[in-house]
Amino acid sequence: MSKATLDQQAAPQVAKSVLEKQAWEALEQSIIYYQDRPVGTVAARDPELTALNYDQCFIRDFVSSALVFLIRGRTDIVRNFLEETLKLQPKKRQFDCSKPGRGLMPASFKVESSHGHERLKADFGEHAIARVAPVDSCLWWLILLRAYFKATHDEELVNRDDFQQGIRLIVELCLVARFDMYPTLLVPDGACMIDRRMGLYGHPLEIQSLFYAALRSAQELLLPTKHNRYFVDAVNSRLEPVTKHIRENYWLDTHRLNVIYRYKVEEYGEQALNQFNIYSDSIPFYQLTEWLPPEGGYLAGNLGPSQIDCRFFAVGNLMAVLSSLSSKEQSQGILQLIESRWEDLVGDMPMKLCYPALEDQGWKILTGCDPKNRPWSYHNGGSWPVLLWMLAAAAQKAGRPEIGKQALKIAERRLVEDEWPEYYDGKNGRLVGKEARRYQTWTIAGYLLAKELIQKPSNLSLICFEDLGII
Ligand code: GLC
């Protein structure tokens, strides 16, 4: 479809305010065309910084744009994106370590032209800084496919053989036997939105929340055919153990802290209470007992052998609320914590990707002295406006819509004036990020999406899941 046709189709309900109009126009300008069809959005359009790979379409970034497009009736761009990225997914099993594994989705792609011929070039991490393969891309892809289906009821697309196969390959990639015995997904550091070293290797919460939402999506989308039965059974039998594991072992509130504080260690066998052999000295009890409000709590950032990462990570917690990975009470607790610790987590720009920042030795050891991730900057305690939509959605879902509205009000004061930066620095998020790009697409889309979700909460169904009633 040509750009002109698309523009005519646009916007039965666009542009409700000047700010929204500007945001919508900026979002339209970020669209990438491939063989005259819109297939995605670039990560950023900063006229003053070298693009590096910000002129590419990142799968995770596009989800925010895609949800706005779905809500505003421009579903074809999402359909094109899903079709083209599906073609990039490797389908054959192979043993070559230089090739991406079967079922993986790329971090990003771009349109390459030579001799008048266009092709899509994918980056599975082999070009990315630090060469990390994105585990979250295939999970986001499945979540987006379900959102597309909910918005369009396009059975013809989802039931197509290539789409059913694509879903199966992702499920297989995630569920096939690995080197650990946890129900959660084992991944390397930097496998998600935080795509640099930040001490997230193992079982980071962000991946687990997306993993759970992706499994729920697969459960809804896989047809009950003979061929799919094995995969449907595998998905069904994984949901309960993941849910219980996260709800029981990742949850931190004052009560849990008391239990962990008095844990016995070196316990062997099935009766062990301290199953992961957490040593009390590894936990900053005194900071945490002060920081945790009496009523609130959150899911820890990571859990592994002798490790609980007690940092608060926004994507993992907010996506746990949206996907119903956290229980209803826990979801309330997460929103309560955000409200009680507003200055720390929201401050002058919603919201912190991670809290608190790693400092001193922690920063040196865990980030490898990464200057971009110095304390209170970028991934390490920086504030990311894209999170606005997840916050607004989670607040709405947990019955606390005023939290989303308040966050939106705060963001609106700055975003246009600052030209839609990628992130903000400082404890209160008052500084435009040192290396932040302007006209960052998911900042723009995140704002529009938050607005749409607040104005019309029924849109939440695109991205939310009902609780399965697992206790
Ligand atoms: C940065 C972010 C990553 C994002 C990319 C493009 O690398 O860490 O999550 O996808 O920029 O915006």
Side-chain angles (χ1 to χ4, degrees):
M1 182 182 297
S2 72
K3 184 172 185 306
T5 337
L6 184 80
D7 286 346
Q8 280 152 20
Q9 274 194 355
Q13 32 164 327
V14 277
K16 292 154 186 138
S17 69
V18 177
L19 201 61
E20 272 179 281
K21 190 163 183 288
Q22 285 183 10
W24 178 248
E25 281 168 10
L27 182 61
E28 284 192 306
Q29 282 161 18
S30 73
I31 294 175
I32 295 179
Y33 290 83
Y34 172 54
Q35 295 173 347
D36 281 338
R37 296 155 70 228
V39 291
T41 47
V42 291
R45 286 183 312 109
D46 191 320
E48 278 165 25
L49 289 177
T50 43
L52 294 175
N53 53 355
Y54 280 78
D55 57 354
Q56 305 204 9
C57 177
F58 282 73
I59 308 283
R60 74 173 72 83
D61 295 39
F62 181 68
V63 173
S64 312
S65 307
L67 293 170
V68 178
F69 290 138
L70 289 179
I71 290 170
R72 292 198 168 191
R74 289 178 63 166
T75 54
D76 59 327
I77 182 167
V78 181
R79 183 189 166 106
N80 295 340
F81 168 89
L82 290 166
E83 283 192 298
E84 293 304 332
T85 45
L86 181 62
K87 290 183 205 157
L88 300 173
Q89 180 194 43
K91 304 290 188 297
K92 285 210 183 88
R93 183 175 288 148
Q94 41 74 25
F95 295 100
D96 181 346
C97 70
S98 68
K99 301 237 168 68
R102 166 157 101 158
L104 210 64
M105 284 284 178
S108 61
F109 64 85
K110 65 177 171 189
V111 182
E112 269 191 351
S113 305
S114 96
H115 308 295
H117 178 74
E118 282 185 348
R119 69 173 196 115
L120 288 188
K121 188 166 189 298
D123 181 359
F124 286 89
E126 68 274 41
H127 304 290
I129 293 165
R131 307 287 186 263
V132 201
V135 176
D136 64 341
S137 290
C138 60
L139 307 175
W140 275 122
W141 187 89
L142 254 178
I143 296 166
L144 181 60
L145 180 62
R146 175 213 184 233
Y148 170 81
F149 182 64
K150 289 210 126 208
T152 60
H153 306 288
D154 184 353
E155 282 183 11
E156 188 262 323
L157 183 95
V158 173
N159 296 351
R160 247 166 50 186
D161 284 349
D162 54 343
F163 272 83
Q164 290 288 308
Q165 182 199 26
I167 301 170
R168 282 197 303 272
L169 290 182
I170 296 172
V171 169
E172 182 188 73
L173 183 67
C174 295
L175 297 189
V176 89
R178 294 291 165 106
F179 285 114
D180 74 344
M181 298 286 293
Y182 293 14
T184 37
L185 213 56
L186 175 66
V187 300
D189 213 340
C192 53
M193 175 172 172
I194 298 183
D195 54 1
R196 304 166 83 94
R197 198 174 138 194
M198 269 279 288
L200 295 188
Y201 45 82
H203 304 84
L205 179 67
E206 175 172 339
I207 289 289
Q208 312 317 323
S209 296
L210 297 177
F211 173 48
Y212 178 77
L215 289 181
R216 297 279 309 262
S217 305
Q219 190 184 42
E220 288 179 27
L221 299 173
L222 280 170
L223 290 169
T225 61
K226 208 171 144 210
H227 198 40
N228 283 351
R229 199 163 56 209
Y230 171 76
F231 296 88
V232 173
D233 289 349
V235 168
N236 288 343
S237 57
R238 190 64 165 261
L239 286 169
E240 184 170 328
V242 179
T243 311
K244 286 191 166 163
H245 180 72
I246 297 281
R247 289 184 184 178
E248 283 167 21
N249 299 311
Y250 279 62
W251 184 247
L252 290 174
D253 61 8
T254 307
H255 169 73
R256 279 286 298 160
L257 268 191
N258 271 289
V259 174
I260 299 170
Y261 187 59
R262 292 167 57 85
Y263 261 163
K264 293 195 175 50
V265 293
E266 319 291 343
E267 293 174 301
Y268 179 81
E270 282 170 19
Q271 304 307 320
L273 277 183
N274 183 3
Q275 287 177 39
F276 303 97
N277 202 34
I278 306 298
Y279 296 106
S280 217
D281 281 353
S282 69
I283 299 192
F285 283 107
Y286 299 114
Q287 280 116 291
L288 269 178
T289 47
E290 276 175 34
W291 194 68
L292 273 170
E295 302 301 326
Y298 64 101
L299 295 167
N302 208 338
L303 178 75
S306 298
Q307 185 211 12
I308 296 189
D309 183 341
C310 293
R311 285 174 289 171
F312 172 91
F313 287 90
V315 179
N317 273 284
L318 299 175
M319 286 306 294
V321 174
L322 297 184
S323 63
S324 291
L325 174 58
S326 49
S327 68
K328 288 205 174 90
E329 296 71 35
Q330 290 174 340
S331 297
Q332 295 290 333
I334 291 169
L335 269 301
Q336 184 57 49
L337 173 95
I338 293 171
E339 188 182 49
S340 306
R341 293 291 166 255
W342 192 258
E343 282 309 306
D344 293 332
L345 298 175
V346 177
D348 271 34
M349 181 51 68
M351 77 176 278
K352 287 264 176 276
L353 186 53
C354 146
Y355 181 90
L358 294 166
E359 299 189 84
D360 308 319
Q361 278 298 98
W363 167 75
K364 282 190 185 162
I365 294 168
L366 291 176
T367 73
C369 299
D370 183 348
K372 196 161 178 182
N373 270 337
R374 69 191 194 290
W376 306 107
S377 183
Y378 200 49
H379 302 140
N380 187 19
S383 306
W384 290 66
V386 60
L387 299 174
L388 190 55
W389 79 257
M390 285 185 210
L391 175 59
Q396 192 78 45
K397 179 160 187 280
R400 304 292 311 271
E402 72 289 353
I403 290 184
K405 287 181 190 155
Q406 183 57 22
L408 187 68
K409 232 193 233 168
I410 293 172
E412 275 180 333
R413 294 200 301 243
R414 301 279 306 272
L415 287 178
V416 172
E417 197 185 312
D418 295 341
E419 301 180 297
W420 310 100
E422 181 184 15
Y423 66 97
Y424 286 77
D425 283 351
K427 276 199 177 169
N428 47 21
R430 213 165 279 177
L431 299 162
V432 173
K434 198 171 194 111
E435 294 179 45
R437 284 178 159 68
R438 293 173 304 151
Y439 294 98
Q440 181 80 19
T441 304
W442 67 359
T443 298
I444 299 164
Y447 163 73
L448 282 171
L449 186 51
K451 200 97 190 169
E452 295 286 357
L453 293 170
I454 288 172
Q455 280 163 1
K456 202 164 170 232
S458 59
N459 288 319
L460 277 179
S461 66
L462 298 185
I463 195 74
C464 285
F465 297 78
E466 290 298 319
D467 195 296
L468 287 178
I470 295 167
I471 307 165

